[in-house]
Amino acid sequence: MVLILMGAPGAGKGSQSRELARRFGLTQISTGDILRGHMADGTEIGVRITDMMNAGELVPDDLIVGIVRERVREGDCRDGFILDGFPRTLAQAKALPGILAETGNVLDTVISIEVPDAVILYRMNGRLVCPACGAMFHVHYYPPRKAGVCDSCGSALTLREDDKAHTVLSRLATYHERTQPIIDYYGGEGLLLRVDGVGDKAAITAEIVSGLEAGVKWPK
Ligand code: AMP
């Protein structure tokens, strides 16, 4: 089973894909996490993408397609995976069938988590990340037990560079311009499950799961 989780930055792709991966026994592949890993490790790729990532711009299609192609060949993807943050452009969406064919996997459903821009802006203003272990918090929605300190490892929490207000606006604009067209494309293919992403996290998971189990996919 292969799922794609789509949604604007801050729509909840990360937390929903982790939960779905756990429930369905799939491997979660977050391209954002892979790229941040390269930056943290100072690899050649990390150095090349740092300015683009910090500005909230998309990294080049050929680079990200190569990264995903390699990742899905690993053993933990044999029985299926969830793509969180890929594809984000039409060129990436068009490269995906070739990548899947190499692994013998088939795309099952594209889940679009839909959240209005105003809600995204409110959510992103207050998102905190632990630079040491990657745990995420939010000053309003899921605050750490002690202000500014990671519950998991005790490190000082920071704001992700690309979560700063002006960068969030440009990430949203990029999402509407480059990524939204793919959602329409998958709608036309009959692979799309649209879910309202405003509200309780567990209720949103339940809506996705029941949609998947019922095989409900709405054309756009
Ligand atoms: P995310 O954690 O999914 O919000 O991604 C963080 C950043 O990583 C994005 O703003 C882009 O700079 C980069 N990125 C992640 N996935 C992709 C992708 N599929 N194509 C291009 N850039 C990506």
mmCIF file with all atom_site columns, all heavy atoms in Angstrom, residues 151-168:
data_model
loop_
_atom_site.group_PDB
_atom_site.id
_atom_site.type_symbol
_atom_site.label_atom_id
_atom_site.label_alt_id
_atom_site.label_comp_id
_atom_site.label_asym_id
_atom_site.label_entity_id
_atom_site.label_seq_id
_atom_site.pdbx_PDB_ins_code
_atom_site.Cartn_x
_atom_site.Cartn_y
_atom_site.Cartn_z
_atom_site.occupancy
_atom_site.B_iso_or_equiv
_atom_site.pdbx_formal_charge
_atom_site.auth_seq_id
_atom_site.auth_comp_id
_atom_site.auth_asym_id
_atom_site.auth_atom_id
_atom_site.pdbx_PDB_model_num
ATOM 1   N N   . ASP A 1 151 ? 10.261 18.253 26.061 1.00 0.00 ? 151 ASP A N   1
ATOM 2   C CA  . ASP A 1 151 ? 9.821  17.212 27.007 1.00 0.00 ? 151 ASP A CA  1
ATOM 3   C C   . ASP A 1 151 ? 10.659 15.948 26.868 1.00 0.00 ? 151 ASP A C   1
ATOM 4   O O   . ASP A 1 151 ? 10.888 15.234 27.840 1.00 0.00 ? 151 ASP A O   1
ATOM 5   C CB  . ASP A 1 151 ? 8.367  16.787 26.711 1.00 0.00 ? 151 ASP A CB  1
ATOM 6   C CG  . ASP A 1 151 ? 7.372  17.856 27.098 1.00 0.00 ? 151 ASP A CG  1
ATOM 7   O OD1 . ASP A 1 151 ? 7.779  18.875 27.693 1.00 0.00 ? 151 ASP A OD1 1
ATOM 8   O OD2 . ASP A 1 151 ? 6.172  17.673 26.788 1.00 0.00 ? 151 ASP A OD2 1
ATOM 9   N N   . SER A 1 152 ? 11.081 15.639 25.628 1.00 0.00 ? 152 SER A N   1
ATOM 10  C CA  . SER A 1 152 ? 11.754 14.362 25.388 1.00 0.00 ? 152 SER A CA  1
ATOM 11  C C   . SER A 1 152 ? 13.212 14.371 25.827 1.00 0.00 ? 152 SER A C   1
ATOM 12  O O   . SER A 1 152 ? 13.680 13.414 26.412 1.00 0.00 ? 152 SER A O   1
ATOM 13  C CB  . SER A 1 152 ? 11.719 13.990 23.906 1.00 0.00 ? 152 SER A CB  1
ATOM 14  O OG  . SER A 1 152 ? 10.440 14.132 23.409 1.00 0.00 ? 152 SER A OG  1
ATOM 15  N N   . CYS A 1 153 ? 13.942 15.463 25.512 1.00 0.00 ? 153 CYS A N   1
ATOM 16  C CA  . CYS A 1 153 ? 15.389 15.401 25.787 1.00 0.00 ? 153 CYS A CA  1
ATOM 17  C C   . CYS A 1 153 ? 15.924 16.590 26.573 1.00 0.00 ? 153 CYS A C   1
ATOM 18  O O   . CYS A 1 153 ? 17.120 16.637 26.862 1.00 0.00 ? 153 CYS A O   1
ATOM 19  C CB  . CYS A 1 153 ? 16.162 15.230 24.482 1.00 0.00 ? 153 CYS A CB  1
ATOM 20  S SG  . CYS A 1 153 ? 16.227 16.710 23.480 1.00 0.00 ? 153 CYS A SG  1
ATOM 21  N N   . GLY A 1 154 ? 15.050 17.572 26.899 1.00 0.00 ? 154 GLY A N   1
ATOM 22  C CA  . GLY A 1 154 ? 15.491 18.670 27.770 1.00 0.00 ? 154 GLY A CA  1
ATOM 23  C C   . GLY A 1 154 ? 16.250 19.789 27.069 1.00 0.00 ? 154 GLY A C   1
ATOM 24  O O   . GLY A 1 154 ? 16.712 20.729 27.726 1.00 0.00 ? 154 GLY A O   1
ATOM 25  N N   . SER A 1 155 ? 16.383 19.719 25.710 1.00 0.00 ? 155 SER A N   1
ATOM 26  C CA  . SER A 1 155 ? 17.093 20.796 25.013 1.00 0.00 ? 155 SER A CA  1
ATOM 27  C C   . SER A 1 155 ? 16.202 22.025 24.885 1.00 0.00 ? 155 SER A C   1
ATOM 28  O O   . SER A 1 155 ? 14.975 21.932 24.992 1.00 0.00 ? 155 SER A O   1
ATOM 29  C CB  . SER A 1 155 ? 17.491 20.341 23.601 1.00 0.00 ? 155 SER A CB  1
ATOM 30  O OG  . SER A 1 155 ? 18.266 19.185 23.678 1.00 0.00 ? 155 SER A OG  1
ATOM 31  N N   . ALA A 1 156 ? 16.839 23.191 24.617 1.00 0.00 ? 156 ALA A N   1
ATOM 32  C CA  . ALA A 1 156 ? 16.062 24.423 24.432 1.00 0.00 ? 156 ALA A CA  1
ATOM 33  C C   . ALA A 1 156 ? 15.352 24.373 23.078 1.00 0.00 ? 156 ALA A C   1
ATOM 34  O O   . ALA A 1 156 ? 15.969 24.036 22.058 1.00 0.00 ? 156 ALA A O   1
ATOM 35  C CB  . ALA A 1 156 ? 16.995 25.619 24.498 1.00 0.00 ? 156 ALA A CB  1
ATOM 36  N N   . LEU A 1 157 ? 14.053 24.692 23.062 1.00 0.00 ? 157 LEU A N   1
ATOM 37  C CA  . LEU A 1 157 ? 13.283 24.663 21.810 1.00 0.00 ? 157 LEU A CA  1
ATOM 38  C C   . LEU A 1 157 ? 13.548 25.919 20.993 1.00 0.00 ? 157 LEU A C   1
ATOM 39  O O   . LEU A 1 157 ? 13.820 26.984 21.552 1.00 0.00 ? 157 LEU A O   1
ATOM 40  C CB  . LEU A 1 157 ? 11.787 24.552 22.134 1.00 0.00 ? 157 LEU A CB  1
ATOM 41  C CG  . LEU A 1 157 ? 11.377 23.285 22.891 1.00 0.00 ? 157 LEU A CG  1
ATOM 42  C CD1 . LEU A 1 157 ? 9.906  23.351 23.308 1.00 0.00 ? 157 LEU A CD1 1
ATOM 43  C CD2 . LEU A 1 157 ? 11.627 22.045 22.032 1.00 0.00 ? 157 LEU A CD2 1
ATOM 44  N N   . THR A 1 158 ? 13.451 25.776 19.669 1.00 0.00 ? 158 THR A N   1
ATOM 45  C CA  . THR A 1 158 ? 13.666 26.935 18.801 1.00 0.00 ? 158 THR A CA  1
ATOM 46  C C   . THR A 1 158 ? 12.529 26.993 17.776 1.00 0.00 ? 158 THR A C   1
ATOM 47  O O   . THR A 1 158 ? 11.749 26.049 17.635 1.00 0.00 ? 158 THR A O   1
ATOM 48  C CB  . THR A 1 158 ? 14.994 26.813 18.010 1.00 0.00 ? 158 THR A CB  1
ATOM 49  O OG1 . THR A 1 158 ? 14.952 25.590 17.281 1.00 0.00 ? 158 THR A OG1 1
ATOM 50  C CG2 . THR A 1 158 ? 16.200 26.825 18.915 1.00 0.00 ? 158 THR A CG2 1
ATOM 51  N N   . LEU A 1 159 ? 12.494 28.119 17.051 1.00 0.00 ? 159 LEU A N   1
ATOM 52  C CA  . LEU A 1 159 ? 11.558 28.263 15.940 1.00 0.00 ? 159 LEU A CA  1
ATOM 53  C C   . LEU A 1 159 ? 12.275 27.722 14.713 1.00 0.00 ? 159 LEU A C   1
ATOM 54  O O   . LEU A 1 159 ? 13.462 28.017 14.519 1.00 0.00 ? 159 LEU A O   1
ATOM 55  C CB  . LEU A 1 159 ? 11.282 29.758 15.767 1.00 0.00 ? 159 LEU A CB  1
ATOM 56  C CG  . LEU A 1 159 ? 10.139 30.211 14.917 1.00 0.00 ? 159 LEU A CG  1
ATOM 57  C CD1 . LEU A 1 159 ? 8.821  29.740 15.528 1.00 0.00 ? 159 LEU A CD1 1
ATOM 58  C CD2 . LEU A 1 159 ? 10.151 31.742 14.845 1.00 0.00 ? 159 LEU A CD2 1
ATOM 59  N N   . ARG A 1 160 ? 11.598 26.902 13.893 1.00 0.00 ? 160 ARG A N   1
ATOM 60  C CA  . ARG A 1 160 ? 12.239 26.429 12.663 1.00 0.00 ? 160 ARG A CA  1
ATOM 61  C C   . ARG A 1 160 ? 12.483 27.650 11.781 1.00 0.00 ? 160 ARG A C   1
ATOM 62  O O   . ARG A 1 160 ? 11.585 28.478 11.625 1.00 0.00 ? 160 ARG A O   1
ATOM 63  C CB  . ARG A 1 160 ? 11.289 25.452 11.960 1.00 0.00 ? 160 ARG A CB  1
ATOM 64  C CG  . ARG A 1 160 ? 11.937 24.176 11.557 1.00 0.00 ? 160 ARG A CG  1
ATOM 65  C CD  . ARG A 1 160 ? 10.902 23.175 11.129 1.00 0.00 ? 160 ARG A CD  1
ATOM 66  N NE  . ARG A 1 160 ? 10.457 23.382 9.749  1.00 0.00 ? 160 ARG A NE  1
ATOM 67  C CZ  . ARG A 1 160 ? 9.638  22.557 9.109  1.00 0.00 ? 160 ARG A CZ  1
ATOM 68  N NH1 . ARG A 1 160 ? 9.192  21.474 9.703  1.00 0.00 ? 160 ARG A NH1 1
ATOM 69  N NH2 . ARG A 1 160 ? 9.260  22.796 7.871  1.00 0.00 ? 160 ARG A NH2 1
ATOM 70  N N   . GLU A 1 161 ? 13.672 27.733 11.162 1.00 0.00 ? 161 GLU A N   1
ATOM 71  C CA  . GLU A 1 161 ? 14.021 28.912 10.355 1.00 0.00 ? 161 GLU A CA  1
ATOM 72  C C   . GLU A 1 161 ? 12.929 29.192 9.320  1.00 0.00 ? 161 GLU A C   1
ATOM 73  O O   . GLU A 1 161 ? 12.516 30.333 9.120  1.00 0.00 ? 161 GLU A O   1
ATOM 74  C CB  . GLU A 1 161 ? 15.380 28.644 9.671  1.00 0.00 ? 161 GLU A CB  1
ATOM 75  C CG  . GLU A 1 161 ? 16.013 29.814 8.964  1.00 0.00 ? 161 GLU A CG  1
ATOM 76  C CD  . GLU A 1 161 ? 16.324 30.982 9.886  1.00 0.00 ? 161 GLU A CD  1
ATOM 77  O OE1 . GLU A 1 161 ? 16.691 30.781 11.074 1.00 0.00 ? 161 GLU A OE1 1
ATOM 78  O OE2 . GLU A 1 161 ? 16.170 32.122 9.416  1.00 0.00 ? 161 GLU A OE2 1
ATOM 79  N N   . ASP A 1 162 ? 12.405 28.133 8.682  1.00 0.00 ? 162 ASP A N   1
ATOM 80  C CA  . ASP A 1 162 ? 11.418 28.359 7.618  1.00 0.00 ? 162 ASP A CA  1
ATOM 81  C C   . ASP A 1 162 ? 9.994  28.511 8.166  1.00 0.00 ? 162 ASP A C   1
ATOM 82  O O   . ASP A 1 162 ? 9.045  28.571 7.399  1.00 0.00 ? 162 ASP A O   1
ATOM 83  C CB  . ASP A 1 162 ? 11.503 27.272 6.530  1.00 0.00 ? 162 ASP A CB  1
ATOM 84  C CG  . ASP A 1 162 ? 11.189 25.877 7.039  1.00 0.00 ? 162 ASP A CG  1
ATOM 85  O OD1 . ASP A 1 162 ? 11.072 25.695 8.265  1.00 0.00 ? 162 ASP A OD1 1
ATOM 86  O OD2 . ASP A 1 162 ? 11.063 24.967 6.199  1.00 0.00 ? 162 ASP A OD2 1
ATOM 87  N N   . ASP A 1 163 ? 9.824  28.583 9.492  1.00 0.00 ? 163 ASP A N   1
ATOM 88  C CA  . ASP A 1 163 ? 8.506  28.865 10.080 1.00 0.00 ? 163 ASP A CA  1
ATOM 89  C C   . ASP A 1 163 ? 8.363  30.348 10.416 1.00 0.00 ? 163 ASP A C   1
ATOM 90  O O   . ASP A 1 163 ? 7.335  30.761 10.961 1.00 0.00 ? 163 ASP A O   1
ATOM 91  C CB  . ASP A 1 163 ? 8.299  28.056 11.369 1.00 0.00 ? 163 ASP A CB  1
ATOM 92  C CG  . ASP A 1 163 ? 7.770  26.640 11.078 1.00 0.00 ? 163 ASP A CG  1
ATOM 93  O OD1 . ASP A 1 163 ? 7.487  26.354 9.901  1.00 0.00 ? 163 ASP A OD1 1
ATOM 94  O OD2 . ASP A 1 163 ? 7.648  25.863 12.024 1.00 0.00 ? 163 ASP A OD2 1
ATOM 95  N N   . LYS A 1 164 ? 9.395  31.164 10.145 1.00 0.00 ? 164 LYS A N   1
ATOM 96  C CA  . LYS A 1 164 ? 9.289  32.593 10.455 1.00 0.00 ? 164 LYS A CA  1
ATOM 97  C C   . LYS A 1 164 ? 8.248  33.220 9.524  1.00 0.00 ? 164 LYS A C   1
ATOM 98  O O   . LYS A 1 164 ? 8.105  32.790 8.369  1.00 0.00 ? 164 LYS A O   1
ATOM 99  C CB  . LYS A 1 164 ? 10.660 33.250 10.338 1.00 0.00 ? 164 LYS A CB  1
ATOM 100 C CG  . LYS A 1 164 ? 11.559 32.704 11.452 1.00 0.00 ? 164 LYS A CG  1
ATOM 101 C CD  . LYS A 1 164 ? 12.895 33.383 11.564 1.00 0.00 ? 164 LYS A CD  1
ATOM 102 C CE  . LYS A 1 164 ? 13.619 32.793 12.779 1.00 0.00 ? 164 LYS A CE  1
ATOM 103 N NZ  . LYS A 1 164 ? 15.055 32.976 12.740 1.00 0.00 ? 164 LYS A NZ  1
ATOM 104 N N   . ALA A 1 165 ? 7.527  34.235 10.055 1.00 0.00 ? 165 ALA A N   1
ATOM 105 C CA  . ALA A 1 165 ? 6.294  34.708 9.405  1.00 0.00 ? 165 ALA A CA  1
ATOM 106 C C   . ALA A 1 165 ? 6.410  34.964 7.896  1.00 0.00 ? 165 ALA A C   1
ATOM 107 O O   . ALA A 1 165 ? 5.598  34.452 7.122  1.00 0.00 ? 165 ALA A O   1
ATOM 108 C CB  . ALA A 1 165 ? 5.796  35.947 10.117 1.00 0.00 ? 165 ALA A CB  1
ATOM 109 N N   . HIS A 1 166 ? 7.430  35.705 7.456  1.00 0.00 ? 166 HIS A N   1
ATOM 110 C CA  . HIS A 1 166 ? 7.470  36.041 6.026  1.00 0.00 ? 166 HIS A CA  1
ATOM 111 C C   . HIS A 1 166 ? 7.726  34.787 5.185  1.00 0.00 ? 166 HIS A C   1
ATOM 112 O O   . HIS A 1 166 ? 7.251  34.660 4.062  1.00 0.00 ? 166 HIS A O   1
ATOM 113 C CB  . HIS A 1 166 ? 8.515  37.132 5.748  1.00 0.00 ? 166 HIS A CB  1
ATOM 114 C CG  . HIS A 1 166 ? 9.910  36.729 6.097  1.00 0.00 ? 166 HIS A CG  1
ATOM 115 N ND1 . HIS A 1 166 ? 10.370 36.648 7.384  1.00 0.00 ? 166 HIS A ND1 1
ATOM 116 C CD2 . HIS A 1 166 ? 10.947 36.353 5.311  1.00 0.00 ? 166 HIS A CD2 1
ATOM 117 C CE1 . HIS A 1 166 ? 11.635 36.249 7.383  1.00 0.00 ? 166 HIS A CE1 1
ATOM 118 N NE2 . HIS A 1 166 ? 12.000 36.062 6.139  1.00 0.00 ? 166 HIS A NE2 1
ATOM 119 N N   . THR A 1 167 ? 8.466  33.834 5.759  1.00 0.00 ? 167 THR A N   1
ATOM 120 C CA  . THR A 1 167 ? 8.764  32.608 5.013  1.00 0.00 ? 167 THR A CA  1
ATOM 121 C C   . THR A 1 167 ? 7.509  31.740 4.901  1.00 0.00 ? 167 THR A C   1
ATOM 122 O O   . THR A 1 167 ? 7.275  31.105 3.871  1.00 0.00 ? 167 THR A O   1
ATOM 123 C CB  . THR A 1 167 ? 9.901  31.831 5.711  1.00 0.00 ? 167 THR A CB  1
ATOM 124 O OG1 . THR A 1 167 ? 10.946 32.739 5.970  1.00 0.00 ? 167 THR A OG1 1
ATOM 125 C CG2 . THR A 1 167 ? 10.400 30.702 4.859  1.00 0.00 ? 167 THR A CG2 1
ATOM 126 N N   . VAL A 1 168 ? 6.694  31.747 5.961  1.00 0.00 ? 168 VAL A N   1
ATOM 127 C CA  . VAL A 1 168 ? 5.460  30.955 5.911  1.00 0.00 ? 168 VAL A CA  1
ATOM 128 C C   . VAL A 1 168 ? 4.573  31.478 4.783  1.00 0.00 ? 168 VAL A C   1
ATOM 129 O O   . VAL A 1 168 ? 3.986  30.689 4.022  1.00 0.00 ? 168 VAL A O   1
ATOM 130 C CB  . VAL A 1 168 ? 4.720  31.009 7.270  1.00 0.00 ? 168 VAL A CB  1
ATOM 131 C CG1 . VAL A 1 168 ? 3.344  30.395 7.143  1.00 0.00 ? 168 VAL A CG1 1
ATOM 132 C CG2 . VAL A 1 168 ? 5.526  30.284 8.331  1.00 0.00 ? 168 VAL A CG2 1
#
